[in-house]
Amino acid sequence: MTNAIDGLVSGLDTTSLINSLMQVEAVPQTLLKAKVSSSQNLISALQGLNTQIAGLADLAGKAAKPAALDLYSATSTSPTVTTAVSANASAGQLDVVVTNLARSQVGVSAAMTAWPADPAVLTIVSGGVTTEISVSSTSLDAVATAINAANTGVTATKVASGVDAGGVAQYRLQFTGNDSGAAKAFSVYQGTAAEVTANSAPDLLAAAGAAVIRTAQDASVTLWAGSTAAQTITSATNTFANLLPGVAITVSAVSVDPVTIKVARDDAQIGSLASGLVSSLNGVFALISTKSAVVNSTNASGAAVLSAGIFTSDSTVRDVKQRILTAASAPINGHSPSEYGISITRSGTMEFDPAKFAAALAKDPVTVKAAVQEIATRVAAAASSASDKYDGQITAKITGQQSTVKNLGDRIADWDRSLATRRATLQSTYTALETQLSALKAQSSWLSAQVAGLPTSSTG
């Protein structure tokens, strides 16, 4: 705000003078604003750390589940038989001979120019369900559209089929089952559902010139082929779920010789899970270390300056790190995790040795898996204690800092009002000063004029 009579009489730069005085008056508020900025930076850093620790808690929690390390993979001796492993798989082996592949039915009608009856009425029997379809047109396009809209599990397509003796274009309707499997076989009749029931509706696919191109069929595999225990298993699709516990196989070709399906413990997956846990731990430790580092720099005059990291003296962060590190590195039943390739380094981080872990797992899988799950359980507890959205250590720290920022914001607002009042007071004071000086100057001029007008005395 500019003083309306800046230096009018006194010649003083009243505005600059008031601004200088206000800068001094505002020093406490400036310090409060600096503290708000510092607190906001800390809140942001804590929120980032909290998110990363929450991710660690989630990963460790999954690894700590009872069957989390019961990981298996399946292999096949033929590329035409593929495998997929899900939960509850276990080691095992099975020989199968693929005797049939699943397929859907395909049939075509005889060649025609239009539907032979007006109005067009047909009935489709698919999967034991009878559906009567009426069309108010003999157009084959309209018939195909009506069939496809009826959701019978059969799709109709109009296909060009040359011309008749008179040169008129001919077409066939191709009927294709949407799903494979013997249960999805269908029949198409020219006539109503009642006529089908009475066996008086002609079968379109059995008419002269029509044909069933492909019959619906289940896939089938034979187990223990050639033995007295030989058994055939069928599936409506080319996938057989849980042929072995937790293992599905998908076939793509008929086989003559048996195909061997083998399920074994997947040590690579188990190692990857343990390695991922260590990597997540180190991600948390790296973030804390980066934001705790003291940085050497120089100021404008070239003097050395040390800048502390935002977590350098934060006891909460330091305690959280120590709790998580202890959870990951403490002995398990008297044995150090380093025996299994999971060790603590001199710099206070974790290290994973894949070769050592693989060797230990191969030698004693039960003990090693139990050790990894114990580490995961402890880490999950420590990380959750720090990052829980209700009462986690870091969560509480964030909440406290947010409360501090709010309180500082209220104090800064109070200072805004106080400083505004102080500026108004100073402006009023200097305005009064200029007014008084103006009055004194006017009085001085009047007196000078009066003195100058006095008669001059003379001596005789």
Side-chain angles (χ1 to χ4, degrees):
M1 183 175 177
T2 303
N3 194 331
I5 53 173
D6 196 9
L8 186 63
V9 179
S10 66
L12 295 173
D13 186 353
T14 307
T15 298
S16 297
L17 183 59
I18 291 175
N19 287 340
S20 296
L21 291 172
M22 289 307 301
Q23 286 180 356
V24 175
E25 295 277 356
V27 167
Q29 187 192 48
T30 301
L31 294 175
L32 290 176
K33 288 180 177 179
K35 191 169 183 179
V36 166
S37 178
S38 175
S39 295
Q40 288 174 332
N41 290 338
L42 178 58
I43 289 170
S44 179
L46 288 171
Q47 288 172 331
L49 176 61
N50 212 32
T51 297
Q52 195 153 339
I53 293 178
L56 171 63
D58 183 60
L59 178 64
K62 292 176 180 177
K65 292 180 179 179
L69 296 181
D70 291 339
L71 302 173
Y72 292 86
S73 61
T75 58
S76 165
T77 57
S78 171
T80 62
V81 179
T82 58
T83 60
V85 179
S86 58
N88 304 318
S90 58
Q93 181 173 311
L94 184 65
D95 291 340
V96 301
V97 174
V98 183
T99 50
N100 284 302
L101 295 180
R103 62 191 186 191
S104 60
Q105 180 179 332
V106 177
V108 293
S109 70
M112 61 182 81
T113 58
W115 193 257
D118 188 7
V121 179
L122 70 155
T123 299
I124 295 178
V125 180
S126 175
V129 178
T130 300
T131 304
E132 181 181 303
I133 302 170
S134 296
V135 188
S136 59
S137 168
T138 60
S139 162
L140 295 182
D141 288 312
V143 172
T145 299
I147 292 171
N148 296 337
N151 296 319
T152 62
V154 177
T155 297
T157 306
K158 189 179 81 168
V159 181
S161 187
V163 296
D164 62 12
V168 178
Q170 299 282 286
Y171 299 92
R172 295 174 184 263
L173 286 182
Q174 176 177 294
F175 301 91
T176 305
N178 296 340
D179 299 308
S180 61
K184 297 300 182 179
F186 61 86
S187 298
V188 183
Y189 299 94
Q190 181 182 327
T192 65
E195 290 171 332
V196 171
T197 302
N199 295 320
S200 60
D203 185 343
L204 281 177
L205 301 183
V212 174
I213 306 302
R214 185 177 69 203
T215 58
Q217 177 178 282
D218 286 339
S220 62
V221 296
T222 301
L223 313 181
W224 312 295
S227 73
T228 56
Q231 181 177 351
T232 298
I233 306 295
T234 62
S235 171
T237 69
N238 287 322
T239 296
F240 295 79
N242 292 317
L243 201 57
L244 287 170
V247 179
I249 70 167
T250 299
V251 299
S252 59
V254 172
S255 65
V256 176
D257 298 321
V259 177
T260 300
I261 309 298
K262 186 175 182 180
V263 185
R265 188 183 68 243
D266 194 333
D267 288 359
Q269 278 196 73
I270 296 172
S272 179
L273 187 149
S275 175
L277 181 60
V278 172
S279 294
S280 186
L281 281 162
N282 284 336
V284 171
F285 298 150
L287 178 60
I288 294 174
S289 177
T290 299
K291 293 189 178 297
S292 299
V294 177
V295 179
N296 291 313
S297 60
T298 56
N299 58 21
S301 62
V305 176
L306 293 179
S307 302
I310 200 162
F311 291 158
T312 299
S313 58
D314 195 300
S315 60
T316 298
V317 173
R318 188 166 54 249
D319 182 60
V320 165
K321 178 184 177 181
Q322 188 57 51
R323 285 173 181 270
I324 294 176
L325 186 61
T326 299
S329 60
I332 303 140
N333 296 325
H335 294 271
S336 169
S338 63
E339 296 180 27
Y340 316 121
I342 301 173
S343 56
I344 187 171
T345 67
R346 292 181 178 180
S347 61
T349 60
M350 300 299 297
E351 185 175 61
F352 181 75
D353 186 333
K356 191 171 184 179
F357 182 86
L361 183 63
K363 181 179 179 181
D364 189 354
V366 174
T367 299
V368 173
K369 289 199 296 182
V372 173
Q373 287 195 301
E374 174 61 23
I375 292 172
T377 299
R378 297 188 314 208
V379 169
S384 295
S385 175
S387 63
D388 184 85
K389 63 181 180 180
Y390 297 111
D391 57 6
Q393 283 178 277
I394 296 179
T395 303
K397 179 85 173 182
I398 292 170
T399 301
Q401 288 296 314
Q402 289 172 332
S403 177
T404 296
V405 168
K406 183 179 182 304
N407 178 263
L408 290 172
D410 292 340
R411 292 171 62 186
I412 289 171
D414 290 340
W415 268 102
D416 283 337
R417 290 187 288 271
S418 177
L419 291 172
T421 300
R422 178 57 177 158
R423 178 179 287 274
T425 299
L426 288 172
Q427 289 174 337
S428 177
T429 299
Y430 280 98
T431 298
L433 174 63
E434 292 293 335
T435 301
Q436 187 64 33
L437 285 174
S438 178
L440 289 174
K441 185 175 181 180
Q443 185 178 20
S444 174
S445 297
W446 180 82
L447 289 173
S448 295
Q450 293 299 314
V451 169
L454 291 174
T456 303
S457 60
S458 60
T459 57

